[in-house]
Amino acid sequence: MRLADRGGTTTIVTTNFDLLLEAAARKIGVRTQTYSLGGIPRPTHRNDFSGILHIHGALEMHKDRHSELVLSDRDFGEYYLRRRVVPDFIYDAARLFHLVLVGYSANDPPMRYLLNAVAADGSRFSDLRERFTFFGTSTSDSVALEDWKARGITPIHYNAHGNHAALLATLERWATLSAINGNPKRMDAEIRRIVKTKRSAAGETDRDLFDHLIRRSNASERTRLSRLASDSGADLDWLNAIVSVGAERQHTRKH
């Protein structure tokens, strides 16, 4: 839920019926709305595209009320083919956002075909964003990795040992270092640590993290981080990288 903060609004998509994300939002003090199936707002960069979005339906909090859920083949036909609720949502979202799948195998045939259709769009539409999935296995599985790639999705492989402990640690660190709502002290400490080494001698992980923190920051935060890097003795290559990332943002806005 911390990672779902887009800066001013929180948006996350799930195929689960349970309300565990809602419980997590309350736990960290995030106010958000729940939407499901036909009630889900159309994807947009505006802040009104927000909430916990259950594309296969959500259980009603009141057990005496009926819940519309995508469970059977008929349900898939209704919401994927007849009403096109899910396909239209995914097609739009894939053009506006980088999609990251977490804990999802896409084994149900309609979703599998849908992801394949999105991948096919990549050869026709230049605005299609890259898609990723966190893919955990306890042993090497090159076939499954190639299967994800064939669907146009980049697999981020990790060792699933210890009940997916590596995934949890990664998501926690990602949230902590989020430029939107991460821990400022931790972010500042990382900047100071990274620039102690010349950029040409720094590892790829540190270069990527530095660029990510700059890229995901707004203008005022980017200025603050630039000053912090300079005051920490950053060499010219680190400062040039900040300029290059800023130029990226300008190029994106023009297009």
Side-chain angles (χ1 to χ4, degrees):
M1 288 307 302
R2 289 170 59 198
L3 284 171
D5 188 338
R6 293 164 49 210
T9 188
T10 297
T11 313
I12 189 168
V13 181
T14 179
T15 57
N16 290 350
F17 309 134
D18 60 60
L19 303 179
L20 294 178
L21 289 172
E22 283 79 356
R26 290 193 298 271
K27 186 175 181 179
I28 62 175
V30 173
R31 290 187 176 183
T32 187
Q33 294 290 321
T34 296
Y35 300 94
S36 68
L37 295 173
I40 293 175
R42 292 294 296 271
T44 173
H45 284 302
R46 298 194 306 268
N47 282 353
D48 53 1
F49 177 58
S50 65
I52 301 173
L53 315 178
H54 294 259
I55 61 174
H56 283 179
L59 295 173
E60 267 286 352
M61 296 182 65
H62 304 284
K63 60 182 180 181
D64 56 333
R65 295 182 181 175
H66 174 70
S67 298
E68 285 190 316
L69 306 174
V70 177
L71 288 168
S72 66
D73 289 346
R74 288 186 177 183
D75 297 328
F76 277 109
E78 177 74 9
Y79 291 102
Y80 276 74
L81 300 177
R82 189 167 184 270
R83 298 195 199 179
R84 297 188 54 83
V85 170
V86 180
D88 288 348
F89 175 86
I90 296 297
Y91 291 147
D92 288 348
R95 281 165 174 73
L96 293 169
F97 303 101
H98 294 287
L99 304 183
V100 182
L101 306 179
V102 181
Y104 190 65
S105 62
N107 283 331
D108 49 277
M111 181 60 80
R112 186 183 183 90
Y113 294 144
L114 176 56
L115 293 174
N116 288 339
V118 171
D121 280 351
S123 62
R124 297 188 297 143
F125 301 105
S126 60
D127 59 345
L128 199 66
R129 301 299 183 92
E130 193 170 0
R131 283 90 59 214
F132 303 87
T133 182
F134 283 102
F135 176 67
T137 60
S138 54
T139 58
S140 177
D141 193 341
S142 58
V143 174
L145 288 174
E146 290 304 317
D147 185 48
W148 277 114
K149 293 176 183 178
R151 298 185 221 174
I153 297 175
T154 302
I156 304 171
H157 185 251
Y158 65 91
N159 191 321
H161 178 73
N163 196 26
H164 301 273
L167 176 61
L168 177 60
T170 297
L171 294 179
E172 287 180 338
R173 178 169 169 78
W174 188 3
T176 297
L177 296 178
S178 167
I180 294 176
N181 64 347
N183 185 319
K185 291 183 179 179
R186 285 285 301 276
M187 292 168 59
D188 290 359
E190 289 291 338
I191 291 288
R192 293 191 188 96
R193 177 188 65 79
I194 290 171
V195 301
K196 286 181 180 178
T197 302
K198 290 186 176 181
R199 185 174 174 96
S200 58
E204 182 181 1
T205 300
D206 280 347
R207 293 197 303 272
D208 285 348
L209 176 57
F210 181 89
D211 293 353
H212 168 74
L213 293 175
I214 300 300
R215 184 176 291 113
R216 292 291 289 156
S217 299
N218 58 31
S220 61
E221 178 66 4
R222 194 160 61 252
T223 299
R224 189 188 71 81
L225 291 177
S226 301
R227 186 180 301 113
L228 175 65
S230 180
D231 292 344
S232 300
D235 73 354
L236 189 59
D237 286 344
W238 288 116
L239 303 180
N240 285 338
I242 296 174
V243 175
S244 296
V245 170
E248 274 179 17
R249 296 167 67 95
Q250 291 292 336
H251 178 76
T252 300
R253 278 196 289 270
K254 288 180 180 178
H255 291 78

